[in-house]
Amino acid sequence: MSTYCSSTFIVCSSSSTHRPPAFPDKHDHFGARTASFSFQFKPVLRKLEHILKDVPQMAKMIPVKLLGAFVDLAFEIVDQPLLPSQSNFAPVEELGEAFLVTDIEGRIPKDFPEGVYIRNGPNPLFGGYKSAVSILGKSSHTWIEGEGMLHAVYFSKPNQGSWTIFYNNRYVESKTFKLEKQKNKLAFLPAAEGDPGAVFSAHLLNLLRFGMVDKYLSNTNVFEHAGRFYVTAENHVPQEIDIKTLETFGKWDLDGTWTRPFTSHAKRDRSTGELVIFGFYPQLPYYEIGIISADGKKLTQKVDLKFKRCTLSHEIGITERYNVIMDFPLVIDINRLLAGGPLIKYEKNGYARIGIMPRYGDADSVKWFEVEPAAAFHIVNCFEDGNEVVVIACKARGSIIPGPEFGLDKFEWFSRGFKHINSVGKTDQDSQDGAFFTRVYEWRLNTQTGEVKGRYLTGTDFSLDFPIINEKFSGIKNKYGYAQVIDSSASSISGMSKYGGLAKLHLEERTSEICQENQQAEELIKVEYHKFPQDTFCSGATLVPKSGSVEEDDGWIIAFIHNEKTNISQVYIVDAKKISSEPIVKIKLPNRVPYGFHGAFMPTYSS
């Protein structure tokens, strides 16, 4: 999941050229600085729209080299250190060419499809995540930033002989990646979190220097449409890649008809082959939905849903007839930044709603359902059941993005959020303890009566996220889902998400158990687990359906695995029907694969 930031403006005094101070202390007088900042920039707040219109003209008047020299003098770029428990979040170098893999434990099934298993993830340039320090304070990268790096494992069976496996990794070479690579140093100032003044100035300087406030991250997902392959993160449009070489061809904006951000989870309509997308932006229009033709050549529908706020939404759902829109209270607000607050904030007391929209409808056609505020980044599936639209998603009490308010202890905040809810006892809604504990939840939305029914489908044994299904069942009722199992203890120790296993969700099989959180009996679904060895964690798990399969769970789960004790990375292949059994194949990779985000399997890539 990736953040998005918008253009802003600040007047920099001549004193900005002085040497920056040391890091502000985490317990400094943040409130006083915020109040001062808010008072100083109230006139700017009132004139923001007018100022933003003038920024392109300002950029023409100020020499780029002069701005670059100013940034070099006024900002000190410093590393964000990693703890030993965070070692596999550190970036790796490119291999340079595909590597033949021969260390394979087990046998790849004969009916396993030829293709490429590929995963995206953040791999920051120049050694890791950075912060920029100036007289205005500090602005920093968040843990979900970093240039996209693709990790790909190629499965081929020449002349129906034995399997040949190659591994390769490569950066997504977007326009902004090439710019920083050419400069051989950080060019875009970090602008996602930090002191309001520092974040504010970073946005403006990035905009004046490069014409955009943040770089293409392209680090979240990989998808195929109309036989072409794309990588994406929701802060910009996708980049097209060559699936064989991992070469980047350039941005995909449909001949300039879609120039705003693009969801990390586009959904394909099973009946038409069209691609349903959306994009959010912190200036009007805040949220637009689009439909791309089945051949990928044109944008056939584009609708402003007339949101009253900019919601950082990660995923859209579809059914056979509807689009499902998640409007939850993770909000990007420029005015709040200008008033001295954070740019991105989870507003736990804000409203949350789910919209049901006819596939080709407009803003007035959306039927909205008010739901309890929560964080729900990932959808398992959506489908229609009579008059009801069923939405199944991974729901937590609090949002892991963007992190704590500036001035709080960041590590402690994340560590408390990852705690297992059974280990902290009964907590109130406002407690940070266990806030990220994620359970599978079902909303049933009656389009005739407006009634909302909701319930948890999974218990409190394990926290689950990054769900996957057999894509043939996207938008229709399905029996099975899969997810990565969050290791609450390891995640709390490191302050970063670590996934210590896999889970199979039997969506139509019910069981009953006592919920430890409230000591009440709940009717839940059956869940099977596959636990990895100690200190071993995964990322990018996906389902590989068996060629010609009829049953929904006929296939394999494949995932990148890393053992932190041995520092060895592997690919596991697990039978999707027998999720609790040992992996049928373990493929040892030639180098470390850092933890990342979403993976996909592209069959018959060589055709």
Side-chain angles (χ1 to χ4, degrees):
M1 293 162 291
S2 302
T3 56
Y4 183 82
C5 306
S6 178
S7 52
T8 51
F9 180 82
I10 190 168
V11 178
C12 299
S13 69
S14 59
S15 61
S16 297
T17 58
H18 291 175
R19 188 69 179 167
F23 274 159
D25 185 84
K26 65 182 179 183
H27 300 299
D28 61 10
H29 301 294
F30 176 68
R33 299 202 323 270
T34 297
S36 174
F37 179 85
S38 175
F39 175 79
Q40 184 178 359
F41 289 100
K42 278 184 179 179
V44 179
L45 179 59
R46 290 194 295 268
K47 298 178 181 179
L48 179 63
E49 280 195 33
H50 175 73
I51 291 171
L52 288 173
K53 291 177 183 176
D54 292 338
V55 167
Q57 187 62 34
M58 291 169 54
K60 295 177 183 177
M61 297 170 59
I62 305 175
V64 174
K65 287 187 177 180
L66 181 60
L67 284 170
F70 169 76
V71 168
D72 290 341
L73 284 171
F75 294 85
E76 180 184 10
I77 305 301
V78 297
D79 292 322
Q80 295 182 27
L82 291 175
L83 299 171
S85 60
Q86 299 170 339
S87 60
N88 199 45
F89 291 94
V92 294
E93 298 294 326
E94 291 180 314
L95 281 179
E97 60 182 10
F99 184 94
L100 178 64
V101 178
T102 58
D103 192 340
I104 302 170
E105 180 182 332
R107 288 191 175 186
I108 299 171
K110 292 181 180 179
D111 46 3
F112 192 86
E114 292 184 276
V116 56
Y117 169 47
I118 186 169
R119 199 222 67 197
N120 206 346
N123 199 82
L125 278 168
F126 314 122
Y129 297 106
K130 308 293 183 183
S131 296
V133 185
S134 72
I135 64 166
L136 295 169
K138 180 174 69 171
S139 64
S140 302
H141 288 136
T142 63
W143 61 274
I144 57 175
E145 292 182 279
E147 287 72 17
M149 176 175 275
L150 301 170
H151 298 265
V153 180
Y154 298 87
F155 295 84
S156 62
K157 209 172 184 183
N159 303 317
Q160 296 303 307
S162 59
W163 285 98
T164 300
I165 299 176
F166 281 90
Y167 163 77
N168 198 8
N169 68 357
R170 188 166 180 175
Y171 275 110
V172 180
E173 296 185 356
S174 65
K175 175 183 175 182
T176 57
F177 171 88
K178 292 177 179 176
L179 185 151
E180 289 202 323
K181 194 73 172 176
Q182 183 179 15
K183 288 179 175 291
N184 198 31
K185 66 177 182 179
L186 189 74
F188 283 79
L189 291 170
E193 64 177 11
D195 284 297
V199 172
F200 201 22
S201 61
H203 284 185
L204 174 70
L205 289 166
N206 289 342
L207 183 64
L208 290 175
R209 295 176 70 197
F210 309 115
M212 51 201 304
V213 298
D214 58 355
K215 54 191 171 185
Y216 290 93
L217 296 180
S218 308
N219 66 12
T220 308
N221 207 355
V222 185
F223 68 97
E224 174 270 335
H225 186 58
R228 303 173 84 165
F229 302 90
Y230 305 94
V231 296
T232 189
E234 58 253 22
N235 76 324
H236 282 297
V237 294
Q239 303 286 318
E240 184 178 358
I241 63 166
D242 184 323
I243 200 69
K244 297 179 184 178
T245 65
L246 305 183
E247 177 187 0
T248 305
F249 293 144
K251 67 180 182 179
W252 185 45
D253 61 5
L254 295 136
D255 296 324
T257 57
W258 187 272
T259 56
R260 64 189 297 107
F262 188 108
T263 176
S264 291
H265 293 279
K267 295 294 171 63
R268 183 175 290 107
D269 185 311
R270 296 170 60 255
S271 60
T272 67
E274 294 171 313
L275 199 66
V276 181
I277 65 171
F278 75 91
F280 59 83
Y281 195 73
Q283 294 176 33
L284 290 171
Y286 290 132
Y287 187 110
E288 287 186 311
I289 194 168
I291 297 178
I292 299 173
S293 60
D295 62 9
K297 294 181 178 179
K298 60 181 179 180
L299 188 69
T300 60
Q301 175 91 333
K302 186 178 182 181
V303 178
D304 172 11
L305 292 193
K306 300 179 182 178
F307 274 32
K308 296 187 182 338
R309 65 183 182 184
C310 176
T311 300
L312 198 165
S313 185
H314 185 63
E315 187 161 7
I316 191 169
I318 62 169
T319 69
E320 292 183 284
R321 294 181 295 165
Y322 300 112
N323 307 318
V324 179
I325 299 123
M326 309 291 278
D327 182 13
F328 283 58
L330 180 59
V331 180
I332 306 174
D333 191 337
I334 297 174
N335 289 347
R336 183 174 57 222
L337 175 69
L338 289 166
L343 176 67
I344 308 167
K345 182 179 181 180
Y346 177 67
E347 299 177 344
K348 58 188 175 185
N349 296 320
Y351 64 86
R353 59 182 186 164
I354 300 175
I356 306 301
M357 171 188 179
R359 180 75 80 245
Y360 303 97
D362 57 18
D364 295 331
S365 71
V366 183
K367 187 171 184 62
W368 290 104
F369 296 82
E370 299 295 324
V371 298
E372 181 184 21
F377 289 107
H378 292 118
I379 294 172
V380 179
N381 199 17
C382 305
F383 58 88
E384 299 165 39
D385 186 9
N387 291 331
E388 293 181 324
V389 172
V390 180
V391 181
I392 303 175
C394 295
K395 175 185 172 184
R397 182 165 49 83
S399 175
I400 195 173
I401 296 175
E405 298 248 350
F406 195 76
L408 295 179
D409 186 299
K410 188 172 182 177
F411 176 80
E412 180 188 3
W413 189 88
F414 278 107
S415 179
R416 290 178 60 191
F418 281 118
K419 286 184 178 180
H420 196 293
I421 57 177
N422 289 346
S423 70
V424 298
K426 189 172 180 60
T427 59
D428 60 56
Q429 194 68 16
D430 293 332
S431 173
Q432 179 59 15
D433 292 331
F436 307 151
F437 194 92
T438 306
R439 299 169 65 187
V440 178
Y441 194 87
E442 175 189 85
W443 291 274
R444 300 187 75 93
L445 312 173
N446 193 307
T447 58
Q448 296 299 312
T449 66
E451 181 184 12
V452 177
K453 292 184 288 188
R455 66 190 184 97
Y456 284 106
L457 297 183
T458 59
T460 57
D461 288 341
F462 294 100
S463 180
L464 306 173
D465 205 353
F466 280 72
I468 50 177
I469 64 169
N470 186 326
E471 290 300 321
K472 293 179 182 178
F473 293 82
S474 178
I476 62 174
K477 190 176 177 69
N478 60 316
K479 293 182 180 180
Y480 306 108
Y482 302 87
Q484 295 177 181
V485 178
I486 299 168
D487 187 319
S488 296
S489 176
S491 298
S492 182
I493 290 170
S494 66
M496 305 280 275
S497 301
K498 290 185 178 182
Y499 298 87
L502 303 168
K504 182 176 184 178
L505 313 173
H506 294 258
L507 297 170
E508 293 187 344
E509 292 189 46
R510 296 290 187 260
T511 183
S512 182
E513 67 177 58
I514 299 295
C515 175
Q516 295 298 318
E517 187 179 21
N518 55 28
Q519 295 300 306
Q520 294 180 350
E522 293 183 324
E523 186 184 38
L524 305 172
I525 61 171
K526 176 184 174 182
V527 183
E528 292 182 276
Y529 297 100
H530 178 104
K531 185 171 175 54
F532 300 139
Q534 188 174 358
D535 299 313
T536 302
F537 307 100
C538 78
S539 64
T542 194
L543 177 69
V544 183
K546 186 179 292 184
S547 301
S549 62
V550 176
E551 296 183 42
E552 183 183 336
D553 63 343
D554 203 359
W556 304 269
I557 302 296
I558 188 169
F560 282 100
I561 309 293
H562 184 73
N563 185 308
E564 294 187 351
K565 279 189 174 179
T566 63
N567 202 33
I568 291 174
S569 293
Q570 296 174 293
V571 167
Y572 278 13
I573 299 177
V574 179
D575 190 332
K577 280 184 172 293
K578 304 173 183 177
I579 193 75
S580 299
S581 61
E582 287 294 309
I584 58 176
V585 178
K586 297 180 181 179
I587 303 168
K588 183 180 177 182
L589 300 174
N591 68 322
R592 181 173 63 85
V593 177
Y595 303 130
F597 299 136
H598 297 283
F601 188 87
M602 310 297 184
T604 61
Y605 73 91
S606 58
S607 62

